[in-house]
Amino acid sequence: MLTKVFGSAVFGVEATTITVEVNIDKGVGYHLVGLPDNAIKESNYRIAAALLNNGYKIPGKKITINMAPADLRKEGSAYDLTLALGILTASGQIKANNLEKYLIMGELSLDGSLQPIKGALPIAVKAREEGFMGFILPKDNAMEAAIVSDLQVYGIENIKEVIDFFDKDEPLEQTIVDTRAEFYKKLDFPEFDFSDVKGQESIKRCMEIAAAGGHNIILIGPPGSGKTMLAKRLPSILPPMTLHEALETTKIHSVVGKIKNMGLMSQRPFRSPHHTISDVALVGGGAYPQPGEISLSHNGVLFLDELPEFKRGVLEVMRQPLEDREVTISRARFTVTYPSSFMLVASMNPSPGGYFNDPDAPVTSSPAEMQRYMGKISGPLLDRIDIHIEVTPVPFEKLSEDRKGESSVEIRKRVTAARELQTERFKELENVHYNAQMNTKQIREYCKLDEASKLLLKNAMERLNLSARAYDRILKVARTIADLENTDAVSGNHISEAIQYRSLDREGWLG
């Protein structure tokens, strides 16, 4: 007897429906075809134990299972439930007249309980697109899949529940999520707040500008000056995620199995990988490609603490994603693309010893050591960082003050207003949403200067020995400063402030 059951495979952040055909005939054997990986090939042991422990069995006949399309590689243990139901139906142990109306996925434990799967959200999106009535999956993934409207989602704990649903018409409890209500309910405030930061008013101002224009930023300062503390608070002043951004972000985290019982993500991600990370872990890839840290930071912040400690090769592979805001990973049989539109926030000591340019600290690094240290960061990478700012330690008087600083709520209001101006300005452009995304042509159009401002910028570049790459970055940042003031024209004051944020372009840092 031939039976068809439907599952799904995830490639990148998109799913593909897999048809599992189970045929049982005279003879003996268990044949699984259709490019399954080892985890799927081992599934017959899990299935046999799970069925036996629930009063069923794998028949002692010739079982042939095809996973179509047969030229597409399938991986993981999430097909256990799909295969088990196909075997039970094809062997006549249960009747399942409506099996073709449901997409079914889940990893089986030996007692028949269900373990969570990866990629439930993109699978649910595909199930709705292809007209399935429902999606049956482990209970831990039900909230995540139920984000998708117009699809019946059933979260189950044990295979017996599914068997009774198809064989005895016993109802399953449907998981229902009001996506919009769930999203706005979760829009609470992040745990870190700028009001906790004593002093550092100029750095807070710089972070506000970076958030308002989506600019990448690097903080340079000695140990203990508060670089990490400031970076962790940046997401608290970014504009709240839109529902579309939340769905995009949740989809990526779903693919790597990070959404158990969470439902929709409503906070912008903040990722802070250790400096020993590999290039594959940062950018994504592997034999079976998975998103890396830069994709998990999509619509949020990627924080690289102690930037020169990262391997140069790891930093270099970031250049293309920073420019294109997506990562494409190619393999012999397929290509996957992961979105990676994130704000890069980096921090570093000003020298190997940590106290370069500090008049109160002894010089502990030779010029050669400084050259090697700064040489770990390439010019093309710095070219993609709009703002460089020096962070100095907070004096005791400031630390001991009882007065709190301005809260993230107030700063976020100004940032959101500036972003709304940019959204309106770039509404006719396809891939530009905020100032940091402008190309050279758009900079010339939206950052026009009067003669006095041009002269100011020219003099500054000559006197401060700023590099040519700093020119466009200064104009972008100046445009954002003008937006924060709700001003159409970029003036000399905006240019003057933007020039201050190019520390690493000055002579004496990179030689």
Side-chain angles (χ1 to χ4, degrees), residues 4-217:
K4 291 185 180 181
V5 193
F6 297 95
S8 191
V10 177
F11 296 94
V13 291
E14 304 298 330
T16 300
T17 299
I18 302 297
T19 304
V20 177
E21 302 172 314
V22 182
N23 187 70
I24 297 181
D25 206 348
K26 294 178 182 179
V28 177
Y30 185 92
H31 308 285
L32 181 59
V33 297
L35 287 183
D37 71 351
N38 287 333
I40 301 175
K41 291 175 183 176
E42 292 171 352
S43 64
N44 64 313
Y45 300 109
R46 294 189 295 272
I47 292 169
L51 294 184
L52 189 62
N53 287 320
N54 284 276
Y56 299 89
K57 64 178 182 178
I58 291 185
K61 295 185 178 181
K62 183 181 179 182
I63 302 173
T64 305
I65 302 174
N66 178 44
M67 304 180 77
D71 62 342
L72 201 64
R73 181 80 176 174
K74 292 89 182 174
E75 60 178 270
S77 53
Y79 297 97
D80 290 359
L81 183 60
T82 323
L83 296 169
L85 286 175
I87 291 169
L88 288 174
T89 306
S91 63
Q93 295 180 69
I94 66 169
K95 60 179 177 64
N97 298 327
N98 295 324
L99 202 58
E100 75 285 350
K101 295 181 180 179
Y102 296 89
L103 197 145
I104 302 167
M105 295 290 285
E107 176 188 335
L108 284 170
S109 295
L110 300 187
D111 63 355
S113 59
L114 270 291
Q115 300 297 318
I117 64 172
K118 295 179 180 179
L121 180 55
I123 292 172
V125 170
K126 190 66 175 179
R128 183 182 63 181
E129 284 178 6
E130 301 213 340
F132 286 97
M133 186 170 74
F135 182 16
I136 297 172
L137 75 170
K139 194 166 187 175
D140 283 350
N141 299 112
M143 286 285 290
E144 173 188 346
I147 292 169
V148 179
S149 58
D150 301 322
L151 181 71
Q152 297 173 17
V153 173
Y154 299 102
I156 62 167
E157 295 181 335
N158 193 284
I159 189 174
K160 193 72 167 66
E161 297 173 45
V162 193
I163 292 172
D164 291 344
F165 174 68
F166 286 112
D167 193 39
K168 301 176 182 177
D169 295 324
E170 291 190 10
L172 291 173
E173 183 180 350
Q174 185 178 346
T175 303
I176 300 173
V177 173
D178 184 335
T179 305
R180 290 185 179 276
E182 186 77 10
F183 172 67
Y184 291 113
K185 181 179 74 176
K186 286 185 175 181
L187 276 178
D188 54 353
F189 215 67
E191 78 177 288
F192 299 112
D193 194 286
F194 268 104
S195 63
D196 301 327
V197 180
K198 301 291 182 69
Q200 304 288 25
E201 299 306 323
S202 61
I203 313 302
K204 291 179 190 175
R205 165 68 174 172
C206 193
M207 301 290 270
E208 179 180 338
I209 294 167
H215 301 288
N216 299 324
I217 180 171

Side-chain angles (χ1 to χ4, degrees), residues 84-380:
L85 286 175
I87 291 169
L88 288 174
T89 306
S91 63
Q93 295 180 69
I94 66 169
K95 60 179 177 64
N97 298 327
N98 295 324
L99 202 58
E100 75 285 350
K101 295 181 180 179
Y102 296 89
L103 197 145
I104 302 167
M105 295 290 285
E107 176 188 335
L108 284 170
S109 295
L110 300 187
D111 63 355
S113 59
L114 270 291
Q115 300 297 318
I117 64 172
K118 295 179 180 179
L121 180 55
I123 292 172
V125 170
K126 190 66 175 179
R128 183 182 63 181
E129 284 178 6
E130 301 213 340
F132 286 97
M133 186 170 74
F135 182 16
I136 297 172
L137 75 170
K139 194 166 187 175
D140 283 350
N141 299 112
M143 286 285 290
E144 173 188 346
I147 292 169
V148 179
S149 58
D150 301 322
L151 181 71
Q152 297 173 17
V153 173
Y154 299 102
I156 62 167
E157 295 181 335
N158 193 284
I159 189 174
K160 193 72 167 66
E161 297 173 45
V162 193
I163 292 172
D164 291 344
F165 174 68
F166 286 112
D167 193 39
K168 301 176 182 177
D169 295 324
E170 291 190 10
L172 291 173
E173 183 180 350
Q174 185 178 346
T175 303
I176 300 173
V177 173
D178 184 335
T179 305
R180 290 185 179 276
E182 186 77 10
F183 172 67
Y184 291 113
K185 181 179 74 176
K186 286 185 175 181
L187 276 178
D188 54 353
F189 215 67
E191 78 177 288
F192 299 112
D193 194 286
F194 268 104
S195 63
D196 301 327
V197 180
K198 301 291 182 69
Q200 304 288 25
E201 299 306 323
S202 61
I203 313 302
K204 291 179 190 175
R205 165 68 174 172
C206 193
M207 301 290 270
E208 179 180 338
I209 294 167
H215 301 288
N216 299 324
I217 180 171
I218 184 167
L219 308 172
I220 312 116
S225 56
K227 303 185 294 293
T228 302
M229 185 182 189
L230 288 158
K232 284 183 176 179
R233 282 155 178 77
L234 183 60
S236 71
I237 64 172
L238 290 172
M241 279 210 289
T242 64
L243 185 58
H244 175 71
E245 286 177 327
L247 285 166
E248 267 190 338
T249 307
T250 306
K251 216 173 179 184
I252 298 167
H253 285 250
S254 171
V255 169
V256 293
K258 294 184 179 291
I259 310 291
K260 295 174 188 175
N261 291 320
M262 276 179 59
L264 193 64
M265 291 179 66
S266 59
Q267 298 296 333
R268 293 188 181 275
F270 180 88
R271 307 290 298 182
S272 181
H274 192 260
H275 61 78
T276 56
I277 191 171
S278 68
D279 51 355
V280 171
L282 183 68
V283 177
Y288 305 118
Q290 288 284 297
E293 288 291 334
I294 64 172
S295 294
L296 293 172
S297 307
H298 182 60
N299 291 322
V301 173
L302 176 66
F303 177 47
L304 301 184
D305 198 8
E306 302 301 338
L307 189 68
E309 300 301 325
F310 285 78
K311 289 177 282 193
R312 179 159 179 151
V314 171
L315 296 179
E316 290 304 294
V317 296
M318 268 204 320
R319 284 162 49 183
Q320 179 262 334
L322 279 170
E323 196 74 27
D324 298 342
R325 300 188 181 272
E326 65 179 22
V327 179
T328 300
I329 299 167
S330 296
R331 294 292 178 266
R333 290 179 175 271
F334 59 89
T335 298
V336 297
T337 299
Y338 297 112
S340 60
S341 181
F342 61 92
M343 269 187 71
L344 174 64
V345 179
S347 75
M348 60 178 285
N349 293 332
S351 65
Y355 296 98
F356 177 71
N357 279 359
D358 186 341
D360 299 324
V363 177
T364 58
S365 302
S366 68
E369 289 173 329
M370 277 292 299
Q371 189 70 28
R372 282 195 300 271
Y373 181 73
M374 299 305 297
K376 293 180 181 179
I377 310 170
S378 70

Side-chain angles (χ1 to χ4, degrees), residues 373-438:
Y373 181 73
M374 299 305 297
K376 293 180 181 179
I377 310 170
S378 70
L381 178 61
L382 280 176
D383 193 27
R384 289 158 173 82
I385 301 177
D386 294 344
I387 298 176
H388 315 154
I389 186 71
E390 294 180 57
V391 184
T392 55
V394 181
F396 175 79
E397 291 75 16
K398 286 283 186 183
L399 285 174
S400 58
E401 281 183 356
D402 292 330
R403 184 175 60 87
K404 282 199 167 189
E406 188 177 23
S407 73
S408 292
V409 174
E410 294 302 315
I411 301 173
R412 180 189 257 186
K413 287 178 183 176
R414 297 194 293 270
V415 168
T416 302
R419 283 285 185 103
E420 287 170 354
L421 286 175
Q422 294 163 46
T423 300
E424 179 64 24
R425 177 184 302 132
F426 303 129
K427 64 182 179 182
E428 303 298 330
L429 302 176
E430 186 176 348
N431 296 316
V432 182
H433 306 289
Y434 43 84
N435 291 335
Q437 296 176 324
M438 288 190 292

